[in-house]
Amino acid sequence: MEEYRGNRNASGRMQDAHWALLMEGSKYAMRLPIGLEKVIRTVSSETVKRFYKKWYHLHNMAVIAVGDFSDTKSVVELIRTHFGEKNSAPDPPIIPLFPVPSHEGPRFSCFVESEAAGSAVMISYKMPADELKTVKDYRDMLAESMFLHALNQRFFKISRRRDPPYFSCSAAADALVRPLKAYIISSSCKEKGTLEALESMLIEVARVRLHGFSEREISVVRALLMSEVESAYLERDQMQSTSLRDEYIQHFIHNEPVIGIEYEAQLQKSILPYISASEVSKYAEKLQTSCSFVLKTIEPQASATIDDLKNIMLKINNLETEGSISPWDDEYIPEEIVNIKPSPGYIVEQIEYSNIGATELTLSNGMRVCYKCTDFFDDQVLFTGFSYGGLSELPENEYFSCSMGSTIAGEIGVFGHRPSVLMDMLAGKRVEVGTKLGAYMRTFSGDCSPSDLETALQLVYQLFTTNVTPGEEEVKIVMQMAEEAVHAQERDPYTAFANRVKELNYGNSYFFRPIRISDLKKVDPVKACEYFNSCFKDPSTFTVVIAGNIDPTIALPLILQYLGGIPKSPEPIFHYNRDDLKGLPFKFPTTIIREVVRSPMVEAQCSVQLCFPVELKNGTMVEEIHCVGFLSKLLETKILQVLRFKHGQIYSAGVSVFLGGNKPSRTGDVRGDMSINFSCDPEISSKLVDLALDEVVRLQEEGPSDQDVATILEIEQRAHENGLQENYYWLERILRSYQSRIYSGDAGTSFKIQEEGRSRVRESLTPSTAQSALQRIMPYPCKNQYTVVILMPQASRFKLLRSLFQHTAHGSDAKILAGIAGLTVLAACLWKYSRKS
């Protein structure tokens, strides 16, 4: 029931309505896999057993095992031992096929969803699914993929034009049900902009039918696909077991061939050069409005009508018939990312950290670079650069403008080229570089293949040497998207809940307060871009960590040229001492607060966030950071056991830790919070809160069991072992060494102390030490200090009056607890949390 209820939100309703429209006339339109609420509530155990006995038949089942096995034969024997003696009924059930009838005329729908995140258009072209059995089938699949990639590149470029018809638009092929697939084109647009978006989408498909794609467009797509398959081939020995497992599953269920990456790479490289632009363009013929065509708009308030949709479709069809749609106009694409190569810098100091297996360089412009060579993935290099000083240093009257700096600058182009131009320049290269402006740091991060490291470092060079100047059109697009996002939040029932959580736990500071339309109107684009330019101007304040498959003889000259070649600023810019940074103003309530936030909802939803303050002491900070991670996993495990497996009232529960409000000082205690969150039936939400509190108190007073401790130790150790084989894990560990409060110029020593801290916590973790930590880090008893915010559907006026009358009649206090807003601090992944010691 909780899984069912969780899908009865705006997204779920929109998906269900679209599915029913697509599948109209078939059994699929009548029933979704989860079934009906009445059936879920009333189904008997006999019915479930009968279903199990009929459909969980051995003849229709497979066991697939993929892993680092020393001996596959022994694995096969294990499977035979445990499954070979099982029996099913002699005759397996015939798996039925339910046809989905085609329809000559198009279907239209104008769906109004008051809680929708925004306005959108969805176009679906249904057709029989293709089989994949022969080399020709594979070639057709490649041509189809090229068509979708080329079409999406056009959609992206249109979204970056002046006054674009939509914010984003994409096309994809989707396998719906056996044996049916669909090309689905979807766009998000401004409010009351669905007709404009629809017209642009249909025109572009018609333009391809009339004029096709250019050879240059197809060469860009060809290079992209070639790069992807080359990357997969290079990392063929490091492929995740889950990827191989999924390939075998598709083979078993859908009879897809399993050919292996070696053969597939060879096949793709031999076929791609011979797929022409005209062959790719022919796929547009399949996207006709005449047969099995479904068109749908989604709006929070009705503006488009069915007649409007029909008129737009007829208009574009007539323009195509008349040949009145002009060819695509390609924009000029420069050859080089960096026009004038910089003069290389030089190494001032070099330090080897043998315990990390890393080398630290101090460059002539003051930038510090630490690199670690790995062989975990043959086609991966990761890097992150950081510098202290961020949004916390700004006065309130500048905060909102400067916080928009990254968004506005990104729309203009922070690497010296507009995003739509850069997309073509990077075709065939596996390079991603992004920026972030945080409360206490500015960062840039990247992910590339070893062969594209030069391109990635060129982008970093461009980041530091480009002055972004706001243009009227770019700013207009960004602000329009921001306003739509704010309006979408106002429609979302969860916004009031999330904002109230944040307001209660962190105060009403402008750092934590949600952006309002009135804030957006005060944004100064010039100030925003000036701040962004200043953030990435002085290389001497940055530390860059690189981890991946790099050859120092090749990488070092590139590092010296593009990182060392960044000009040093004549005057210091954003030179901050980490101990002098301004902390974010927040203070957890000192008393118990329980509130209900009531929001208007189409269907009843309920979310709960139970929050406790945590405090980590300075003297034992290294151990406490690791300890709080273990405790959060312990609480998550136990809450799930109680609320789901014992009482059967929730689907899932999360426990997260937030310590990000503290400045990265080398001294002082660290304050934050630990939150338990889950969704449930509104009628029993308060009862479940009490059960969760009782379990936390029990753990504080009695401690966990030996098995509980053994379980979380095993989970952490397994995650650690897996992490040691991943570049992301090493990148984060080295960054944490530099950003740790114990860092004093030697990353190797900092790394060692943190590893020793982890080992000490692991070795000392017992039921009694875990109990002691729960008492020390959280309020004890926890029922003395906490906040609870519960999102509930807004009661009807009649029910509210009746409730008030009943309260008054019984002589009790009539209290209606309501709140306004807050952020559910979710997803602090236990072993990858970014908490700095």
Side-chain angles (χ1 to χ4, degrees):
M1 268 312 301
E2 194 50 44
E3 181 184 357
Y4 177 87
R5 186 183 295 108
N7 198 46
R8 304 316 304 153
N9 52 20
S11 177
R13 287 189 295 273
M14 290 187 290
Q15 289 174 2
D16 291 356
H18 189 65
W19 182 258
L21 190 66
L22 279 175
M23 298 296 154
E24 186 179 315
S26 76
K27 281 200 171 187
Y28 291 110
M30 300 165 61
R31 188 70 55 90
L32 291 169
I34 198 168
L36 304 176
E37 180 178 357
K38 179 182 177 182
V39 174
I40 297 170
R41 289 189 180 277
T42 61
V43 65
S44 67
S45 60
E46 288 74 19
T47 301
V48 175
K49 290 174 183 176
R50 190 165 59 250
F51 181 90
Y52 174 83
K53 188 174 181 180
K54 177 180 179 181
W55 290 109
Y56 285 69
H57 196 285
L58 292 173
H59 287 85
N60 290 334
M61 297 173 72
V63 177
I64 298 165
V66 180
D68 188 15
F69 306 128
S70 57
D71 178 17
T72 53
K73 288 183 179 178
S74 63
V75 178
V76 173
E77 287 305 315
L78 276 172
I79 293 172
R80 283 179 175 152
T81 298
H82 290 282
F83 292 92
E85 300 303 318
K86 306 292 182 185
N87 292 305
S88 288
D91 298 319
I94 297 172
I95 299 175
L97 285 176
F98 298 107
V100 181
S102 59
H103 45 96
E104 291 300 321
R107 291 176 184 162
F108 302 93
S109 171
C110 294
F111 190 78
V112 178
E113 170 55 62
S114 60
E115 297 173 10
S119 298
V121 179
M122 292 186 71
I123 303 173
S124 302
Y125 305 86
K126 296 185 295 182
M127 62 196 70
D130 303 310
E131 286 191 326
L132 181 58
K133 290 186 175 180
T134 67
V135 172
K136 182 184 182 303
D137 296 337
Y138 188 83
R139 179 193 175 102
D140 292 342
M141 184 190 72
L142 277 181
E144 177 188 74
S145 179
M146 293 174 75
F147 168 75
L148 294 169
H149 274 89
L151 191 58
N152 282 331
Q153 288 192 343
R154 284 197 181 181
F155 287 147
F156 177 77
K157 291 177 180 179
I158 292 171
S159 72
R160 292 301 179 268
R161 288 177 177 172
R162 291 187 175 186
D163 199 17
Y166 41 70
F167 299 134
S168 65
C169 182
S170 64
D174 188 9
L176 299 175
V177 296
R178 290 186 301 172
L180 187 72
K181 75 170 186 177
Y183 291 126
I184 298 178
I185 307 176
S186 56
S187 71
S188 63
C189 57
K190 62 188 177 185
E191 199 166 337
K192 298 182 180 179
T194 52
L195 298 180
E196 183 185 1
L198 170 62
E199 183 168 326
S200 176
M201 295 158 74
L202 291 176
I203 280 180
E204 215 45 56
V205 174
R207 195 191 315 276
V208 177
R209 275 196 295 268
L210 283 174
H211 305 289
F213 292 112
S214 68
E215 286 294 343
R216 194 187 70 77
E217 287 179 289
I218 296 306
S219 68
V220 167
V221 171
R222 188 181 291 117
L224 173 67
L225 294 179
M226 197 76 81
S227 172
E228 289 178 354
V229 75
E230 286 174 353
S231 177
Y233 177 78
L234 287 172
E235 293 183 346
R236 63 193 181 280
D237 294 329
Q238 295 118 11
M239 188 179 293
Q240 293 287 346
S241 297
T242 50
S243 299
L244 291 166
R245 175 204 64 192
D246 292 346
E247 199 168 348
Y248 283 115
I249 290 173
Q250 292 305 307
H251 173 67
F252 176 69
I253 296 177
H254 300 298
N255 203 28
E256 289 186 7
V258 179
I259 59 175
I261 186 59
E262 289 91 347
Y263 179 67
E264 186 169 1
Q266 176 189 346
L267 194 61
Q268 193 160 322
K269 291 180 77 170
S270 65
I271 291 174
L272 274 174
Y274 300 100
I275 300 178
S276 65
S278 59
E279 183 179 348
V280 173
S281 302
K282 286 178 182 176
Y283 274 80
E285 298 294 336
K286 295 187 175 185
L287 277 62
Q288 300 283 355
T289 60
S290 56
C291 182
S292 294
F293 172 76
V294 180
L295 174 54
K296 177 182 177 182
T297 60
I298 299 168
E299 296 179 296
Q301 291 182 325
S303 71
T305 65
I306 299 292
D307 286 340
D308 292 332
L309 305 187
K310 290 180 179 179
N311 290 336
I312 295 272
M313 186 190 74
L314 291 172
K315 174 185 174 182
I316 307 307
N317 287 346
N318 290 335
L319 288 174
E320 182 179 358
T321 302
E322 296 163 3
S324 302
I325 300 172
S326 60
W328 175 259
D329 185 17
D330 265 338
E331 54 189 332
Y332 169 71
I333 307 298
E335 292 291 328
E336 299 290 338
I337 292 172
V338 178
N339 290 325
I340 302 174
K341 300 290 176 69
S343 300
Y346 55 89
I347 299 171
V348 175
E349 184 181 15
Q350 180 169 330
I351 302 173
E352 300 293 335
Y353 296 124
S354 58
N355 61 325
I356 308 177
T359 302
E360 178 186 286
L361 310 173
T362 302
L363 306 183
S364 51
N365 60 4
M367 181 177 276
R368 182 168 49 198
V369 178
C370 180
Y371 66 87
K372 177 177 175 64
C373 306
T374 72
D375 58 1
F376 308 137
F377 295 99
D378 290 339
D379 201 42
Q380 185 182 67
V381 177
L382 306 175
F383 59 86
T384 293
F386 75 92
S387 176
Y388 288 112
L391 297 171
S392 70
E393 301 300 311
L394 298 169
E396 184 174 0
N397 62 341
E398 295 181 6
Y399 172 75
F400 286 109
S401 290
C402 295
S403 67
M404 292 287 291
S406 189
T407 307
I408 295 174
E411 190 67 29
I412 297 165
V414 300
F415 304 113
H417 306 278
R418 288 173 46 236
S420 59
V421 173
L422 191 64
M423 178 183 70
D424 280 358
M425 295 178 72
L426 297 179
K429 299 181 183 293
R430 202 177 72 71
V431 178
E432 291 181 20
V433 180
T435 64
K436 182 180 179 181
L437 305 181
Y440 302 116
M441 294 182 194
R442 298 101 63 205
T443 61
F444 63 84
S445 299
D447 181 348
C448 66
S449 65
S451 59
D452 293 324
L453 179 61
E454 180 173 9
T455 301
L457 296 181
Q458 285 179 339
L459 293 176
V460 175
Y461 174 81
Q462 289 288 94
L463 173 66
F464 278 81
T465 57
T466 297
N467 276 316
V468 180
T469 305
E472 183 180 343
E473 288 300 325
E474 291 93 349
V475 171
K476 180 181 176 183
I477 293 171
V478 171
M479 301 314 293
Q480 201 172 54
M481 291 172 69
E483 287 184 16
E484 289 289 335
V486 172
H487 287 312
Q489 288 180 349
E490 291 171 349
R491 291 189 294 268
D492 187 350
Y494 286 89
T495 298
F497 164 74
N499 289 345
R500 185 56 181 160
V501 171
K502 189 159 61 171
E503 183 181 350
L504 275 179
N505 295 341
Y506 311 125
N508 201 26
S509 163
Y510 59 90
F511 283 102
F512 296 106
R513 181 166 55 80
I515 293 181
R516 300 175 294 223
I517 295 294
S518 57
D519 297 319
L520 293 177
K521 295 186 183 300
K522 298 174 187 176
V523 169
D524 180 350
V526 174
K527 181 69 178 174
C529 289
E530 286 176 351
Y531 178 75
F532 182 87
N533 291 334
S534 299
C535 284
F536 301 98
K537 189 63 65 180
D538 188 347
S540 68
T541 67
F542 276 82
T543 297
V544 182
V545 177
I546 307 173
N549 184 23
I550 55 176
D551 180 347
T553 61
I554 298 173
L556 271 177
L558 300 176
I559 289 171
L560 293 178
Q561 180 163 36
Y562 296 111
L563 298 186
I566 298 171
K568 188 172 182 178
S569 179
E571 296 181 357
I573 301 176
F574 289 172
H575 271 251
Y576 289 104
N577 183 320
R578 61 189 290 182
D579 293 307
D580 297 332
L581 294 174
K582 296 177 182 177
L584 298 184
F586 71 96
K587 186 177 181 181
F588 198 90
T590 56
T591 58
I592 298 169
I593 298 179
R594 295 179 72 132
E595 286 197 5
V596 173
V597 173
R598 294 194 179 272
S599 286
M601 299 179 192
V602 176
E603 296 185 64
Q605 299 277 310
C606 178
S607 277
V608 175
Q609 177 135 337
L610 169 60
C611 211
F612 307 96
V614 298
E615 187 170 358
L616 311 182
K617 297 299 181 182
N618 180 39
T620 55
M621 187 60 64
V622 173
E623 290 81 2
E624 296 288 73
I625 287 289
H626 288 291
C627 191
V628 78
F630 282 104
L631 294 183
S632 65
K633 192 61 183 176
L634 171 66
L635 287 180
E636 184 174 272
T637 303
K638 300 307 292 181
I639 294 299
L640 198 61
Q641 285 178 4
V642 171
L643 299 189
R644 174 169 175 156
F645 297 114
K646 183 178 179 180
H647 294 280
Q649 296 295 342
I650 68 168
Y651 189 71
S652 64
V655 174
S656 55
V657 180
F658 176 70
L659 304 174
N662 297 274
K663 64 180 183 178
S665 169
R666 292 184 178 90
T667 60
D669 299 338
V670 169
R671 294 180 298 115
D673 60 73
M674 188 180 295
S675 60
I676 299 168
N677 43 77
F678 54 86
S679 62
C680 63
D681 184 339
E683 298 296 324
I684 59 169
S685 55
S686 292
K687 176 188 174 184
L688 296 187
V689 168
D690 292 334
L691 288 172
L693 283 168
D694 289 343
E695 181 60 18
V696 178
V697 169
R698 188 194 68 78
L699 289 168
Q700 286 184 317
E701 294 180 346
E702 301 174 14
S705 67
D706 289 328
Q707 183 58 52
D708 292 334
V709 173
T711 297
I712 61 172
L713 284 171
E714 185 176 343
I715 291 171
E716 191 272 348
Q717 180 63 22
R718 179 64 174 156
H720 177 70
E721 290 170 356
N722 286 339
L724 291 175
Q725 302 299 314
E726 293 184 3
N727 290 319
Y728 281 105
Y729 193 69
W730 278 100
L731 182 76
E732 186 179 344
R733 293 174 85 204
I734 298 172
L735 282 169
R736 208 157 52 227
S737 297
Y738 281 105
Q739 296 167 0
S740 167
R741 62 173 52 204
I742 56 178
Y743 174 74
S744 57
D746 187 329
T749 300
S750 174
F751 183 91
K752 179 184 177 184
I753 292 172
Q754 290 187 84
E755 284 302 289
E756 290 172 345
R758 171 183 173 268
S759 296
R760 282 195 297 272
V761 171
R762 283 189 57 85
E763 291 165 4
S764 64
L765 195 66
T766 64
S768 61
T769 57
Q771 178 187 358
S772 174
L774 285 168
Q775 295 177 2
R776 180 179 70 252
I777 292 174
M778 298 171 65
Y780 177 64
C782 69
K783 288 187 177 182
N784 288 351
Q785 188 184 8
Y786 65 87
T787 63
V788 171
V789 181
I790 303 174
L791 172 67
M792 299 276 277
Q794 191 174 67
S796 68
R797 191 168 297 235
F798 172 75
K799 287 184 178 179
L800 192 61
L801 288 172
R802 186 175 64 181
S803 173
L804 285 169
F805 175 77
Q806 288 173 342
H807 273 287
T808 307
H810 287 87
S812 59
D813 293 333
K815 292 184 178 180
I816 301 174
L817 302 176
I820 302 174
L823 172 73
T824 318
V825 187
L826 294 173
C829 178
L830 177 58
W831 313 120
K832 290 197 174 183
Y833 54 89
S834 57
R835 312 305 175 213
K836 309 298 179 271
S837 53

